[in-house]
Structures are given as structure tokens and as C-alpha cells.
Amino acid sequence: MLISCKKATEFIEKKDIFGLTKKEQFQLDLHVFLCAKCRKYQRLSEELDHTLRHFFMNKSDEELTLSEEKKEKIKDALKK
């Protein structure tokens, strides 16, 4: 059974975080084989995940922590 592009993108995002069942992986592989747009989306998603992992692994905890001032600015922006 073929899945929709929407379901394929859900599987692409789910794959790295939670993993896929064999059935889901088969459905995704088949869909990506047939759909150029989802194939491109999968490739770009994998590249982005790799880049973000590399970025965050090379940062210290202090560099990844927001200052209280930045937290307040974000809170203020969300109130608007």
C-alpha cells in the first residue's frame, strides 16, 4: 500500500528520533523510490539533522544556555 507524501514526511522525521517498524520502513522506502520530491525532502532532512548534531556537539553547555536577558526578550516577544 502506498502512503501519501504527508505520511512519508512524518516517517522521515520519526525515523531518526523513534525509529520505524519494518512495515513503516518498507512503505517509506517504496514511496521515496517513487516520489522525487519526498526523496529530496529526505536528503535535505538528513543533511539538516547531521549539521545540527555537529553544531550542538561542538558547543559547551554555557554556549547553549540562554541568558536571563535573552529569556526575557523571548517572553516579551511571545506576549505580543
Side-chain angles (χ1 to χ4, degrees):
M1 170 173 26
L2 288 178
I3 57 175
S4 67
C5 290
K6 181 178 179 180
K7 193 66 171 176
T9 58
E10 289 175 20
F11 284 172
I12 289 167
E13 299 307 322
K14 177 184 174 190
K15 182 179 179 178
D16 252 5
I17 300 168
F18 303 107
L20 298 175
T21 65
K22 289 181 182 183
K23 179 181 177 183
E24 290 171 335
Q25 185 63 56
F26 176 78
Q27 290 174 320
L28 176 60
D29 290 345
L30 180 60
H31 183 91
V32 168
F33 177 76
L34 298 171
C35 180
K37 290 181 181 180
C38 287
R39 192 167 42 251
K40 183 175 182 178
Y41 179 84
Q42 184 177 37
R43 182 179 52 79
L44 293 173
S45 177
E46 289 169 356
E47 287 178 16
L48 180 60
D49 287 345
H50 174 76
T51 302
L52 289 173
R53 267 193 220 99
H54 179 74
F55 175 80
F56 285 110
M57 286 183 171
N58 293 320
K59 298 290 182 183
S60 68
D61 287 342
E62 287 179 7
E63 290 176 300
L64 296 174
T65 304
L66 288 175
S67 68
E68 290 302 317
E69 180 183 337
K70 288 182 182 178
K71 288 178 186 178
E72 290 303 318
K73 285 183 180 179
I74 292 171
K75 287 178 186 178
D76 291 340
L78 290 172
K79 289 178 185 176
K80 296 178 181 178

